[in-house]
Amino acid sequence: MIKLTLVTPSFGQARFLERTIRSVLDQGYPNLEYVIVDGGSTDGSIEIIKRYADRLAWWVSEKDHGQAAAINKGLRRATGQIVGWLNSDDTLAPHSLHTIAHAYETYPNADLIYGHTCLIDENDRVLRRLCAVQTNAYELAYFNSNIFSQPGTTWRRDLHDRLGYIDESLHCRLDCDFWIRVASAGVLKFVPKHLGNLRMYAQTKSSRLVDQFRQEDGVLAQRYRKREISARERVGLTIQRRLRILANPLTMAYWLGVRTRDTP
């Protein structure tokens, strides 16, 4: 079975960290390499990590230069053919590791695979289902660089040989920058499955750092846009995305809230 490496960057997330760890390890995926990179937490995170240390490939707790640096530290140790990261307040969906492995076996030309995500609150209650659709570099750069969510998104490790690692100058849009780079040089594949859960609460970056998100959106626009798109084009892209949701029965069922074995 294909080897998967997941990296969890963490700092001061003892409140959620064990739920994140268990969402990965409790799946029982037989060829998993799980790495935790902690930034020197003093809130009880280390005690949580130590409880699972015998099931981890590697972990460290030391001061670093932020989330992107922590992710890259873990990715550089990865030996799995397929890699990804899972933030320490998010979770994987049940069965998602097996789903991801099967998807790469089914689509051998895919460089990066992503799926649907649930937005959850601090108590794991589902707030909203975030539907993903097949997309491309143009849409990511010009329409919505965050058109699919990071939890459950994985890619082939050899992409880093071609594209480099996560941009450590970015704090909020580091994932979106990487998606655009991959889409510009490789093959994205959407699978209509629930793969991860994105946690939303008052202390998240997206809640606290609105201005920095906007500033980094501007950075991505300067990097990847050759022109500005009109309001009419933006409406057209929105309509196209909705049509793709309607055209895929599994995505439509997810959007409507139909429960499956792996969807809350």
Side-chain angles (χ1 to χ4, degrees):
M1 187 171 280
I2 196 166
K3 187 174 185 178
L4 306 178
T5 299
L6 282 184
V7 177
T8 289
S10 186
F11 181 68
Q13 289 284 17
R15 180 183 179 189
F16 302 116
L17 180 58
E18 187 160 23
R19 280 179 265 178
T20 299
I21 293 172
R22 293 198 60 173
S23 79
V24 177
L25 296 178
D26 286 358
Q27 297 196 25
Y29 186 79
N31 202 7
L32 172 69
E33 181 178 63
Y34 190 29
V35 170
I36 299 178
V37 183
D38 181 82
S41 299
T42 58
D43 65 340
S45 293
I46 307 311
E47 289 72 20
I48 293 171
I49 295 169
K50 286 180 177 179
R51 288 206 293 268
Y52 297 91
D54 62 336
R55 300 171 67 187
L56 303 176
W58 181 72
W59 72 274
V60 68
S61 180
E62 60 189 15
K63 189 174 181 179
D64 55 39
H65 298 290
Q67 182 186 11
I71 293 167
N72 284 340
K73 187 185 296 184
L75 289 175
R76 287 189 171 98
R77 295 186 69 97
T79 62
Q81 300 102 305
I82 307 304
V83 301
W85 84 82
L86 180 68
N87 292 328
S88 54
D89 52 358
D90 297 332
T91 59
L92 288 184
H95 317 293
S96 59
L97 293 177
H98 289 83
T99 299
I100 289 165
H102 178 70
Y104 280 100
E105 291 167 354
T106 304
Y107 306 106
N109 66 324
D111 292 303
L112 180 149
I113 287 177
Y114 62 97
H116 300 311
T117 310
C118 278
L119 192 67
I120 61 174
D121 69 8
E122 52 200 311
N123 298 309
D124 299 329
R125 291 183 297 240
V126 175
L127 302 173
R128 186 155 56 98
R129 295 185 179 202
L130 306 177
C131 288
V133 294
Q134 187 65 41
T135 191
N136 54 51
Y138 176 82
E139 288 186 350
L140 291 171
Y142 286 88
F143 174 56
N144 183 357
S145 60
N146 202 29
I147 202 167
F148 57 89
S149 297
Q150 183 273 321
T153 299
T154 55
W155 54 93
R156 296 192 185 276
R157 180 168 52 89
D158 60 14
L159 279 176
H160 294 299
D161 296 331
R162 291 192 277 145
L163 305 177
Y165 286 82
I166 308 303
D167 185 345
E168 296 183 17
S169 72
L170 298 173
H171 182 61
C172 295
R173 292 302 192 194
L174 58 155
D175 50 354
C176 300
D177 174 75
F178 190 67
W179 308 156
I180 297 171
R181 284 157 57 197
V182 175
S184 300
V187 178
L188 303 184
K189 181 63 182 177
F190 159 64
V191 294
K193 298 282 189 177
H194 173 219
L195 297 182
N197 301 301
L198 179 68
R199 198 178 301 279
M200 180 61 65
Y201 56 103
Q203 290 77 39
T204 59
K205 285 193 301 185
S206 55
S207 300
R208 294 183 293 107
L209 304 176
V210 174
D211 289 342
Q212 188 163 351
F213 270 94
R214 289 174 181 158
Q215 186 270 328
E216 292 187 9
D217 281 336
V219 171
L220 298 191
Q222 289 184 334
R223 284 183 184 178
Y224 300 114
R225 293 181 186 173
K226 296 181 174 62
R227 64 180 180 83
E228 290 299 316
I229 64 172
S230 66
R232 183 174 180 177
E233 287 175 298
R234 188 169 292 279
V235 170
L237 288 169
T238 300
I239 292 171
Q240 289 177 32
R241 183 177 182 277
R242 293 292 176 85
L243 290 174
R244 276 174 242 162
I245 291 174
L246 295 172
N248 188 308
L250 291 175
T251 297
M252 185 67 176
Y254 182 83
W255 186 46
L256 292 173
V258 176
R259 292 176 66 93
T260 66
R261 69 167 190 160
D262 61 351
T263 308

